[in-house]
Amino acid sequence: DAEDMFTATCAPPPCAAEQQPAGGLPPVCPRRRYEPFHFKRGQPHPDPVVETTSLSFAEPPPIKYDLNLPDGIFEPRDELDNPAGGALSNLQLETVAYACQRHESIMANGCRAGFFLGDGVGLGKGRQLAGVIAENWLCGRKRHLWVSVSADLMEDAKRDLKDIGFSHIEVKNITKLDYGKLDKKGPKGIREGVVFATYSALVSSQRGGKTRAAQIAEWLGGAQAEGCILFDESHKAKNLAPEKNEKGKPTTKKSSKMALTCQKLQADCPRSRVVYCSATGASSLQNMAYMERLGLWGAHTAFPDFNAFDKAIGGGGVGAMELVALDLKRRGMYLCRQLSFSAASFDTKMVDLT
């Protein structure tokens, strides 16, 4: 059954803020202080970080990937001699290491395995994505796609790359470019860098011509693409409905154009390095259908397709989702941390409505 398929064990880390209930019951601790389990380099995160108690029981695999990032980024910051020092904290560097390690694997269907970053607000997901690009840039892969919800966030992407010492990587807004070849000759051609696109821009197309997604896939290299495809706020790609049910008959559900475009982009670039990034991406099993690079279903898995996966796990509710998250973390393809609110306080105000 589902519980047999998703198992993970390890000793939990110490509790960050235990509360002693009345009656002498064991302390209640919904979240535990988070420290990287296997990654020991880098500077500590500036704020206390926690993860759910259930997730803390899953031990991630050892890190065998050696980061190529400059040594200075692991050292303390110095305004003059090492301005990028500590720009990525140890837990952010842990994300880069696990993502790159995961990208070294090829799944049974021939696609490169992907990674899922589920950190909450304030953990610097954008900076971690910038770290993934920087690491791949140093490895010679210099064409990447960054997808997000708003064009305004492109400035944040530039800032994150600058803060970690990679301001020389150009970031181009796809909506400012024509529909021709992106790497065309001349000053307007993009030989290398990051193409930034919103989800709405991905589905746009020239009248009677190719879509933006097809244009970007061609620039990335298509079947030979080795660069990153970063789906920031990836829950925007949800609502991917299976074309057929478990009996092989067509379904009445319709997929959104955005979900289908993200699915096709991954299929057109099977060897690209995909990262899904969302604080709410795993809140519902039905909203994970686009995460095909996690390898939870498909060839050489317990589930031939997403329908079978959904049928076996979907009825389990929150408990089944926790089992999925535990298995993802145990296999080194998922991290989910949050800022601690242990020092936060609040007041309740009663306001009369008139």
Side-chain angles (χ1 to χ4, degrees):
D1 58 18
E3 293 194 28
D4 292 330
M5 295 173 185
F6 296 98
T7 58
T9 58
C10 80
C15 182
E18 293 185 345
Q19 302 172 3
Q20 183 67 45
L25 296 175
V28 175
C29 183
R31 299 184 184 277
R32 294 182 180 272
R33 185 177 66 249
Y34 183 86
E35 291 291 341
F37 199 91
H38 294 291
F39 194 86
K40 303 303 180 184
R41 301 178 66 191
Q43 302 302 303
H45 200 74
D47 299 302
V49 177
V50 296
E51 70 175 344
T52 61
T53 301
S54 59
L55 201 57
S56 70
F57 278 87
E59 178 184 342
I63 296 176
K64 299 179 181 179
Y65 183 90
D66 291 326
L67 292 175
N68 296 282
L69 293 170
D71 291 338
I73 209 166
F74 301 92
E75 304 299 328
R77 184 175 186 272
D78 184 281
E79 189 69 35
L80 296 177
D81 298 329
N82 190 23
L88 288 168
S89 67
N90 57 355
L91 62 87
Q92 292 173 325
L93 288 165
E94 178 191 36
T95 297
V96 178
Y98 272 120
C100 292
Q101 178 167 289
R102 176 69 177 161
H103 290 155
E104 295 287 290
S105 301
I106 303 297
M107 301 189 301
N109 63 2
C111 293
R112 189 177 300 278
F115 183 81
F116 182 13
L117 176 59
D119 283 352
V121 176
L123 263 292
K125 292 191 290 295
R127 188 166 293 197
Q128 294 175 73
L129 295 180
V132 173
I133 288 179
E135 172 65 21
N136 279 277
W137 190 272
L138 293 172
C139 294
R141 295 180 281 272
K142 298 190 176 182
R143 292 190 180 188
H144 309 283
L145 171 64
W146 190 319
V147 188
S148 196
V149 293
S150 169
D152 295 337
L153 294 175
M154 186 181 79
E155 296 305 317
D156 293 341
K158 290 181 177 180
R159 179 205 62 210
D160 289 328
L161 285 167
K162 178 182 178 181
D163 288 346
I164 65 174
F166 285 79
S167 58
H168 56 282
I169 299 179
E170 283 194 279
V171 183
K172 298 286 189 179
N173 188 338
I174 189 64
T175 60
K176 304 298 183 182
L177 306 171
D178 60 39
Y179 278 88
K181 291 189 66 174
L182 294 178
D183 57 355
K184 59 188 175 184
K185 295 181 179 180
K188 293 185 178 180
I190 306 174
R191 300 289 184 274
E192 59 186 34
V194 178
V195 169
F196 187 93
T198 62
Y199 287 94
S200 57
L202 276 185
V203 302
S204 63
S205 62
Q206 190 178 33
R207 180 174 295 180
K210 68 173 64 174
T211 63
R212 284 294 193 187
Q215 180 190 26
I216 293 170
E218 181 183 13
W219 177 76
L220 288 172
Q224 284 73 47
E226 293 278 340
C228 298
I229 297 179
L230 310 178
F231 291 110
D232 188 18
E233 305 294 348
S234 62
H235 52 271
K236 288 292 182 180
K238 64 183 182 180
N239 300 323
L240 180 63
E243 295 181 358
K244 298 181 180 180
N245 59 23
E246 62 273 10
K247 296 181 180 180
K249 296 182 179 180
T251 63
T252 57
K253 297 180 179 179
K254 297 295 184 181
S255 300
S256 68
K257 189 175 181 181
M258 198 171 292
L260 290 171
T261 299
C262 291
Q263 182 189 44
K264 188 175 188 306
L265 182 60
Q266 295 176 80
D268 289 344
C269 303
R271 294 302 176 98
S272 60
R273 289 161 163 79
V274 174
V275 176
Y276 309 106
C277 180
S278 173
T280 59
S283 58
S284 171
L285 196 66
Q286 289 76 17
N287 293 341
M288 294 180 67
Y290 66 92
M291 296 185 180
E292 298 176 336
R293 297 293 188 91
L294 296 183
L296 293 175
W297 57 88
H300 296 276
T301 70
F303 312 102
D305 52 31
F306 181 75
N307 273 329
F309 180 73
D310 186 26
K311 183 178 180 181
I313 309 298
V318 176
M321 288 303 300
E322 287 186 348
L323 288 172
V324 172
L326 286 168
D327 185 68
L328 290 174
K329 182 185 174 185
R330 182 180 59 83
R331 292 161 62 183
M333 64 176 81
Y334 177 61
L335 288 173
C336 180
R337 295 85 43 114
Q338 294 88 33
L339 289 178
S340 172
F341 292 96
S342 59
S345 61
F346 69 92
D347 294 319
T348 302
K349 300 292 186 182
M350 300 299 295
V351 180
D352 293 329
L353 300 179
T354 58

Tab-separated table of all heavy atoms in Angstrom, residues 106-111 292 294-306 331:
chain	number	residue	atom	x	y	z
A	106	ILE	N	19.878	10.338	-14.701
A	106	ILE	CA	18.987	10.231	-15.849
A	106	ILE	C	17.932	9.178	-15.525
A	106	ILE	O	18.252	8.063	-15.123
A	106	ILE	CB	19.747	9.839	-17.128
A	106	ILE	CG1	20.863	10.851	-17.418
A	106	ILE	CG2	18.790	9.752	-18.312
A	106	ILE	CD1	20.386	12.265	-17.685
A	107	MET	N	16.670	9.545	-15.698
A	107	MET	CA	15.588	8.635	-15.373
A	107	MET	C	15.419	7.567	-16.461
A	107	MET	O	16.015	7.663	-17.530
A	107	MET	CB	14.285	9.423	-15.183
A	107	MET	CG	14.360	10.475	-14.076
A	107	MET	SD	12.759	11.213	-13.669
A	107	MET	CE	12.269	11.917	-15.236
A	108	ALA	N	14.600	6.580	-16.177
A	108	ALA	CA	14.424	5.458	-17.109
A	108	ALA	C	13.844	5.895	-18.444
A	108	ALA	O	14.081	5.249	-19.471
A	108	ALA	CB	13.519	4.403	-16.463
A	109	ASN	N	13.095	6.992	-18.457
A	109	ASN	CA	12.498	7.466	-19.714
A	109	ASN	C	13.450	8.327	-20.532
A	109	ASN	O	13.067	8.879	-21.566
A	109	ASN	CB	11.205	8.223	-19.436
A	109	ASN	CG	11.427	9.481	-18.600
A	109	ASN	OD1	12.552	9.824	-18.244
A	109	ASN	ND2	10.346	10.170	-18.271
A	110	GLY	N	14.695	8.478	-20.060
A	110	GLY	CA	15.688	9.252	-20.778
A	110	GLY	C	15.766	10.707	-20.397
A	110	GLY	O	16.663	11.428	-20.854
A	111	CYS	N	14.852	11.177	-19.562
A	111	CYS	CA	14.865	12.570	-19.114
A	111	CYS	C	15.769	12.729	-17.891
A	111	CYS	O	15.912	11.801	-17.081
A	111	CYS	CB	13.458	13.039	-18.761
A	111	CYS	SG	12.335	13.152	-20.170
A	292	GLU	N	6.874	16.053	-13.643
A	292	GLU	CA	7.227	14.753	-14.200
A	292	GLU	C	8.679	14.382	-13.949
A	292	GLU	O	9.033	13.201	-13.959
A	292	GLU	CB	6.924	14.759	-15.703
A	292	GLU	CG	5.441	14.962	-16.007
A	292	GLU	CD	5.155	15.054	-17.494
A	292	GLU	OE1	6.085	15.411	-18.255
A	292	GLU	OE2	4.016	14.761	-17.890
A	294	LEU	N	10.323	14.472	-11.254
A	294	LEU	CA	10.595	13.905	-9.933
A	294	LEU	C	10.656	12.381	-9.995
A	294	LEU	O	11.140	11.742	-9.059
A	294	LEU	CB	9.532	14.356	-8.926
A	294	LEU	CG	9.473	15.860	-8.644
A	294	LEU	CD1	8.424	16.155	-7.578
A	294	LEU	CD2	10.833	16.398	-8.206
A	295	GLY	N	10.136	11.792	-11.050
A	295	GLY	CA	10.232	10.349	-11.215
A	295	GLY	C	9.362	9.547	-10.270
A	295	GLY	O	9.681	8.399	-9.946
A	296	LEU	N	8.253	10.129	-9.835
A	296	LEU	CA	7.353	9.419	-8.929
A	296	LEU	C	6.471	8.433	-9.681
A	296	LEU	O	5.912	7.512	-9.089
A	296	LEU	CB	6.482	10.414	-8.159
A	296	LEU	CG	7.217	11.316	-7.166
A	296	LEU	CD1	6.257	12.331	-6.556
A	296	LEU	CD2	7.876	10.487	-6.070
A	297	TRP	N	6.299	8.646	-10.969
A	297	TRP	CA	5.517	7.735	-11.803
A	297	TRP	C	6.203	7.619	-13.164
A	297	TRP	O	7.072	8.408	-13.510
A	297	TRP	CB	4.077	8.240	-11.962
A	297	TRP	CG	3.982	9.620	-12.541
A	297	TRP	CD1	3.939	9.964	-13.871
A	297	TRP	CD2	3.940	10.853	-11.809
A	297	TRP	NE1	3.882	11.321	-14.023
A	297	TRP	CE2	3.870	11.898	-12.777
A	297	TRP	CE3	3.944	11.188	-10.461
A	297	TRP	CZ2	3.814	13.240	-12.422
A	297	TRP	CZ3	3.888	12.529	-10.103
A	297	TRP	CH2	3.817	13.538	-11.065
A	298	GLY	N	5.834	6.621	-13.890
A	298	GLY	CA	6.452	6.412	-15.198
A	298	GLY	C	7.232	5.110	-15.248
A	298	GLY	O	7.094	4.233	-14.378
A	299	ALA	N	8.081	4.974	-16.253
A	299	ALA	CA	8.837	3.739	-16.471
A	299	ALA	C	9.683	3.373	-15.256
A	299	ALA	O	10.300	4.227	-14.635
A	299	ALA	CB	9.734	3.903	-17.704
A	300	HIS	N	9.683	2.100	-14.920
A	300	HIS	CA	10.485	1.537	-13.832
A	300	HIS	C	10.143	2.139	-12.464
A	300	HIS	O	11.001	2.272	-11.598
A	300	HIS	CB	11.980	1.711	-14.116
A	300	HIS	CG	12.448	0.963	-15.326
A	300	HIS	ND1	12.802	-0.369	-15.300
A	300	HIS	CD2	12.602	1.357	-16.612
A	300	HIS	CE1	13.168	-0.759	-16.512
A	300	HIS	NE2	13.044	0.269	-17.331
A	301	THR	N	8.883	2.533	-12.281
A	301	THR	CA	8.399	2.956	-10.970
A	301	THR	C	7.196	2.088	-10.617
A	301	THR	O	6.740	1.263	-11.418
A	301	THR	CB	7.972	4.440	-10.961
A	301	THR	OG1	6.770	4.594	-11.744
A	301	THR	CG2	9.067	5.334	-11.522
A	302	ALA	N	6.667	2.288	-9.412
A	302	ALA	CA	5.506	1.503	-8.993
A	302	ALA	C	4.230	1.940	-9.698
A	302	ALA	O	3.212	1.242	-9.619
A	302	ALA	CB	5.332	1.625	-7.482
A	303	PHE	N	4.270	3.093	-10.371
A	303	PHE	CA	3.064	3.637	-11.001
A	303	PHE	C	3.346	3.938	-12.475
A	303	PHE	O	4.219	4.748	-12.779
A	303	PHE	CB	2.619	4.914	-10.284
A	303	PHE	CG	2.566	4.770	-8.781
A	303	PHE	CD1	3.572	5.289	-7.983
A	303	PHE	CD2	1.526	4.092	-8.179
A	303	PHE	CE1	3.536	5.155	-6.617
A	303	PHE	CE2	1.478	3.951	-6.800
A	303	PHE	CZ	2.484	4.475	-6.010
A	304	PRO	N	2.621	3.333	-13.398
A	304	PRO	CA	2.906	3.545	-14.818
A	304	PRO	C	2.650	4.965	-15.299
A	304	PRO	O	3.285	5.433	-16.237
A	304	PRO	CB	1.966	2.547	-15.522
A	304	PRO	CG	0.892	2.254	-14.522
A	304	PRO	CD	1.543	2.346	-13.184
A	305	ASP	N	1.718	5.677	-14.658
A	305	ASP	CA	1.426	7.052	-15.055
A	305	ASP	C	0.863	7.806	-13.853
A	305	ASP	O	0.679	7.232	-12.768
A	305	ASP	CB	0.451	7.102	-16.237
A	305	ASP	CG	-0.820	6.287	-15.998
A	305	ASP	OD1	-1.250	6.175	-14.827
A	305	ASP	OD2	-1.376	5.736	-16.963
A	306	PHE	N	0.584	9.090	-14.056
A	306	PHE	CA	0.081	9.903	-12.941
A	306	PHE	C	-1.282	9.428	-12.466
A	306	PHE	O	-1.600	9.530	-11.281
A	306	PHE	CB	0.012	11.378	-13.351
A	306	PHE	CG	-0.474	12.272	-12.239
A	306	PHE	CD1	0.368	12.600	-11.180
A	306	PHE	CD2	-1.771	12.762	-12.233
A	306	PHE	CE1	-0.073	13.395	-10.137
A	306	PHE	CE2	-2.221	13.565	-11.196
A	306	PHE	CZ	-1.372	13.890	-10.149
A	331	ARG	N	15.134	10.761	-0.825
A	331	ARG	CA	15.807	10.480	-2.095
A	331	ARG	C	16.600	11.670	-2.619
A	331	ARG	O	17.155	11.621	-3.714
A	331	ARG	CB	14.762	10.030	-3.125
A	331	ARG	CG	14.156	8.675	-2.774
A	331	ARG	CD	12.829	8.427	-3.479
A	331	ARG	NE	12.966	8.405	-4.942
A	331	ARG	CZ	11.929	8.267	-5.776
A	331	ARG	NH1	10.708	8.149	-5.289
A	331	ARG	NH2	12.128	8.249	-7.071
